[in-house]
Amino acid sequence: MILTGIEDEDKWLAEGIASIRHNAFYMHRALEANNLRDALKCSALMLSELRTSKLSPHKYYDLYMRSFDELRKLEMFFKDESKHGVSIVDLYELVQHAGNIIPRLYLLCTVGSVYIKSKEAPARDVLKDLVEMCHGVQHPVRGLFLRTYLAQISRDKLLDLGSEYEGAKDTVMDAVEFVLQNFTEMNKLWVRMQHQGPVWVKEKLEKERSELCDLVGKNLHVLSQIEGVNLEIYRDTVLPRVLEQIVNCKDELAQCYLMDCIIQVFPDEYHLQTLETLLGACPQLQPTVDVKTVLSRLMARLSNYAASNADALPEFLQVEAFAKLSSAIGKVIETQVDMPIVGAIALYVSLLSFTLHVHPERLDYVDQVLGACVKKLSGKPKLEDIRAKKQIVALLSAPLEKYNDIVTALTLSNYPHVMDCLDDETNKVMAMVIIQSAMKNKTCISTADKVEVLFELIKGLIKDLDETAKDELDEEDFKEEQNSVARLIHMLYNDDSEEMLKIFWVVRKHIMAGGSQRLPFTVPPLIFSALRLVRKLQGQDGNVVGEEPVTPKKIFQLLNETIEALSSVSSPELALRLYLQCAEAANDCDLEPVAYEFFTRAFILYEEEVADSKAQVTALHLIIGALQRMNVFGVENRDTLTHKATGVIVLTYSIITVSCPCSFVPKTFTVSSFHLSFSFCQHSAKLLKKPDQCRAVYACSHLFWVDDQDGVKDGERVLLCLKRALRIANAAQQIANATRGCSGPVTLFVEILNKYLYFFEKGNPQITSGAIQGLIELITNEMQSDSTTPDPVSGAFLASTIRYIQFQKQKGGVMGEKFGPIKV
Amino acid sequence: MVLVLALGDLHIPHRAPDLPAKFKSMLVPGKIQHIICTGNLSIKEVHDYLRTLCPDLHISRGEYDEDARYPETKTLTIGQFKLGLCHGHQVVPWGDLDSLAMLQRQLDVDILVTGHTHQFTAYKHEGGVVINPGSATGAYSNITYDVNPSFVLMDIDGLRVVVYVYELIDGEVKVDKIDFKKTTAPTHSAH
């Protein structure tokens, strides 16, 4: 059915075009011959095509344009009285004899245009006449185009009328009145167009209607261009009349388009000054009108205006723009009860954007917008709609981006309330946005209060919000979240130690609620942050102020408790490392009992929790390395700890081998080390491999020799360690022989040799050049023996060691003498 | 001319939030041929970031590294130089140059790159050169007070290596350089 209709339409259009061409041709002939009568006749015939009601607006437009072009030529002819000899007044009357109203009015308008220009009658009178005559055509399409024609040809005359040149206020008002009238009628016709066709073409019709919107909107454009239309006229006449028509027409398409048109076409200063009127129309619009887009566009324009004109800002305050917009939005949301939540939030996003642009320093305004949003969302279940969630994230991100400083966001009292409206997942997303903003801008959060607010905001990351719903979080995502929190902890800082300690307590309180999965991520940065404070306090030794000064001791207590929490949630290796870090720091503060306590805890963890042998080796090196650097311990404490360290390695050895008894008897056999060795026997399943034992033992040799001025230098014990290491290395060789039928690599021996050289150089009297010589020979024999597989690594190692000895020999002086006896 | 970036002990996120901005802007992908890292990154994100700077990335294990698969020591050859890499917490006493020299002999390398102390050093001894690039983030250390963020760029050209050390001091990047020449390598026995 419809298809046939279209085909027919095309046919009719083609016919119409042909007819116009035909008549135009004869009209031209008449014009050339200065034959007014014939020209009028032909043009009337031509214009008859515009009487059709068969065409859709789109196709009618085609005919209209062609006619328009032809009428220009006619107009030129009319202008030149010498050609046709008729006065304009008479001409005006003459054309009214045309038979049908359409051609009659088109011709009348054409003459009218010339008439106005001639000034033989007041422009106002002619215009009034024309605009009222057009009432005669009530058919929507035909009427609309007729009035369009009138608007088009009258345009330049109107602008002249309205200009400062021409005249008094009166002429401006005449022009305004004319346009307003034409506009009103055109809008009515345009709205009526939708009722034109049968129901099933309604959609198509609506589409075509919307394509013609500019015909109506042009009138507003003209109004804005009339020079004489100042703020007063706009405010008192133009705007009220236009709004009246918009509201009364009750048509969604028209209202939407025209509201937008007003906003785009008239200057921003006018909008500011008529804000209340403009906004007042919004609730009166049809409920289906997308008011939020209208308001958003208005706010966007005003924002730009503010951005490009700094001196306009007082004006904004003076007209109370924010308050008016805020209240208008509130009204719209209230009246349009069916507006989906995403629409309301989008409005608040626009308002917030406006506020941030125009009044960035008014945090109270910003907070107000957030508060309004909270009010809207309160009492409702958590948001489901993805778009709504996105809008909230946009709402919350806007202040962060604007101020580049999350501390400012932290002062907005409604900020956390908005976050609370989010579901858990989106809450976390927003928390990450906040953290990333802080990291990007390197913001420093410096008071405990602000930290409290911050951690409340990001609580979705810090702990499980909903106890029951432990959703399967991707491991990678979880790690990323926790690492972000860890990084954030480094941004919390204050020069004042007391405030810093308060901050620790706040952070600790929050992360402790995080559960076992989170602690390994969040505890370490807190520990190190605290250690930095300890170091700072060290430097201020004695300059304590305040009633309850912050002391390293206090901090160590806090650290102890915190790390304890970590060790109870199966991160023993991490806890061990942190205990050692604290021990070293306590050493530097001269707090012997504190350092001892930390070491004890580290040992306990080692014995009871560290099971993996590779982990044990690392842990041992850390314990030995740390212990080696301690200078705070008195003899007894140092001995106890040293025995513990060696005992932990050595006692294991004594259990499994038969041939070599443990000849290293602790000189002071304290209760603790006895306890330790007994408990360790029970854990004999955790054995170190021979090479690892060997290396750990010779590392222990350094515990007895510290190169400092008052460091311990116990040559005997050093030698005992090295000899023990040799025995273990021997045992390793024997095991290798037994299991593989050939000796293992001699690397261990070369390592021990190097250690001998180390202490030899340092001047340990127990280490003789003879011993070194013996060791070299032992190694060389081993390497040359049949049962040893040649090993390039050990070979190279030995070679470079020999080279070193030679180098030392060649040094001359004391060193050269020392090394002299060693033959290589 | 081969550029080798040596850095380590970033301790992200335990002790530092990120590399200093000034370092980040200097470290541009495509300019460096090799990266050697002493360890303690300590998370995968840092590994991935270094990867973007240069695909030839060598890392030794630090005691805080999340990835336990990094090796305790590593050796590689670049041009005429043999380089060794080890975090350094395994060598007791920590930071002791004589003990490090022993490790150097053991690995049989011309240049030993090691960390743990967070203190930049470049030390030449009979057996070669020991370089510690310090901590790229200036992370807290019990061994060194007042750590300045630092890293090292080595320019290996034939038998010569120029070691550039970049240190961030009071917000400004200061550069220093040290020259090392290798005497023609004697052949090693029993290969």
Side-chain angles (χ1 to χ4, degrees), chain A residues 27-296:
Chain A
M27 186 186 81
H28 294 160
R29 276 249 294 254
L31 292 177
E32 273 159 35
N34 288 346
N35 187 339
L36 176 63
R37 216 189 147 78
D38 278 353
L40 288 178
K41 203 173 85 190
C42 294
S43 57
L45 280 171
M46 181 184 77
L47 289 166
S48 294
E49 292 310 315
L50 293 177
R51 293 175 57 208
T52 181
S53 42
K54 292 186 198 159
L55 295 177
S56 66
H58 194 75
K59 295 197 160 55
Y60 188 92
Y61 183 72
D62 198 340
L63 290 184
Y64 168 82
M65 284 311 296
R66 287 168 198 274
S67 310
F68 182 89
D69 290 337
E70 298 306 332
L71 286 173
R72 299 283 61 68
K73 299 174 184 131
L74 194 58
E75 188 183 348
M76 296 266 322
F77 182 69
F78 287 159
K79 253 192 219 151
D80 194 349
E81 196 177 323
S82 64
K83 287 207 173 149
H84 52 79
V86 179
S87 74
I88 197 68
V89 183
D90 291 338
L91 201 50
Y92 193 76
E93 222 240 301
L94 196 57
V95 296
Q96 295 188 45
H97 293 305
N100 293 304
I101 188 167
I102 287 284
R104 181 161 71 235
L105 290 176
Y106 272 96
L107 288 173
L108 192 63
C109 290
T110 314
V111 175
S113 154
V114 180
Y115 197 173
I116 296 169
K117 242 228 144 116
S118 73
K119 300 204 200 332
E120 291 199 26
R124 164 217 281 173
D125 291 344
V126 180
L127 288 172
K128 200 161 169 359
D129 202 32
L130 290 173
V131 80
E132 282 178 4
M133 289 267 213
C134 289
H135 265 299
V137 181
Q138 282 299 314
H139 183 270
V141 177
R142 296 197 290 265
L144 186 65
F145 277 97
L146 174 61
R147 287 192 178 270
T148 300
Y149 183 69
L150 175 59
Q152 279 182 293
I153 51 130
S154 64
R155 188 162 169 268
D156 47 345
K157 286 83 188 172
L158 287 169
L159 295 181
D160 285 340
L161 262 186
S163 79
E164 304 297 321
Y165 285 113
E166 280 293 332
K169 185 168 186 268
D170 289 344
T171 45
V172 173
M173 287 311 289
D174 291 338
V176 168
E177 188 57 44
F178 169 79
V179 178
L180 282 175
Q181 229 183 313
N182 204 24
F183 160 75
T184 308
E185 295 307 314
M186 281 177 78
N187 193 40
K188 287 183 187 162
L189 292 166
W190 186 44
V191 169
R192 286 232 305 276
M193 246 201 251
Q194 64 190 289
H195 303 301
Q196 273 234 275
V199 174
W200 64 77
V201 296
K202 201 174 165 71
E203 207 179 295
K204 178 166 167 280
L205 213 54
E206 198 66 1
K207 181 169 174 292
E208 293 197 340
R209 236 196 94 203
S210 70
E211 282 169 11
L212 300 176
C213 61
D214 284 337
L215 297 181
V216 182
K218 208 64 197 283
N219 291 296
L220 297 179
H221 195 71
V222 169
L223 280 171
S224 75
Q225 293 197 304
I226 296 176
E227 230 180 281
V229 173
N230 55 16
L231 174 61
E232 212 187 307
I233 294 180
Y234 174 78
R235 184 189 60 212
D236 297 335
T237 310
V238 174
L239 187 62
R241 286 274 291 278
V242 173
L243 284 179
E244 193 187 339
Q245 170 55 214
I246 291 176
V247 171
N248 287 345
C249 78
K250 294 198 188 341
D251 176 62
E252 181 197 330
L253 178 61
Q255 286 182 338
C256 212
Y257 169 72
L258 290 171
M259 287 299 285
D260 201 41
C261 206
I262 295 176
I263 294 168
Q264 301 301 330
V265 151
F266 291 103
D268 299 313
E269 307 93 81
Y270 287 12
H271 294 317
L272 263 187
Q273 296 296 332
T274 57
L275 205 49
E276 215 160 342
T277 319
L278 192 57
L279 294 174
C282 288
Q284 301 177 51
L285 300 176
Q286 298 301 100
T288 43
V289 171
D290 187 9
V291 173
K292 49 185 192 322
T293 310
V294 172
L295 287 171
S296 301

Side-chain angles (χ1 to χ4, degrees), chain A residues 584-727:
Chain A
E584 291 182 77
N587 175 78
D588 292 349
C589 291
D590 271 329
L591 294 168
E592 188 179 349
V594 178
Y596 188 81
E597 169 73 13
F598 280 125
F599 260 105
T600 310
R601 288 183 178 262
F603 272 113
I604 293 173
L605 279 178
Y606 178 86
E607 293 149 34
E608 294 178 8
E609 305 284 348
V610 182
D612 174 61
S613 72
K614 191 171 165 209
Q616 281 181 318
V617 170
T618 308
L620 269 177
H621 278 124
L622 294 175
I623 292 174
I624 297 169
L627 194 49
Q628 198 266 345
R629 299 185 63 244
M630 298 288 104
N631 53 28
V632 74
F633 291 129
V635 174
E636 202 179 299
N637 276 340
R638 192 181 172 85
D639 275 352
T640 313
L641 290 175
T642 316
H643 297 163
K644 267 193 181 163
T646 51
V648 149
I649 315 154
V650 173
L651 280 164
T652 324
Y653 160 69
S654 74
I655 294 162
I656 58 147
T657 54
V658 179
S659 52
C660 275
C662 169
S663 57
F664 179 64
V665 178
K667 285 213 173 119
T668 54
F669 199 84
T670 61
V671 174
S672 50
S673 61
F674 174 77
H675 212 72
L676 158 68
S677 38
F678 184 70
S679 69
F680 207 79
C681 293
Q682 294 174 321
H683 299 291
S684 58
K686 301 181 240 168
L687 299 174
L688 291 175
K689 301 199 200 52
K690 281 273 161 296
D692 293 329
Q693 278 183 32
C694 175
R695 291 186 173 112
V697 167
Y698 74 57
C700 282
S701 66
H702 288 283
L703 293 175
F704 302 105
W705 193 281
V706 177
D707 230 2
D708 284 345
Q709 196 188 7
D710 0 286
V712 59
K713 288 187 176 65
D714 190 336
E716 270 182 38
R717 289 200 199 173
V718 168
L719 186 58
L720 281 169
C721 275
L722 294 183
K723 280 191 176 167
R724 170 149 327 287
L726 272 175
R727 276 199 278 273

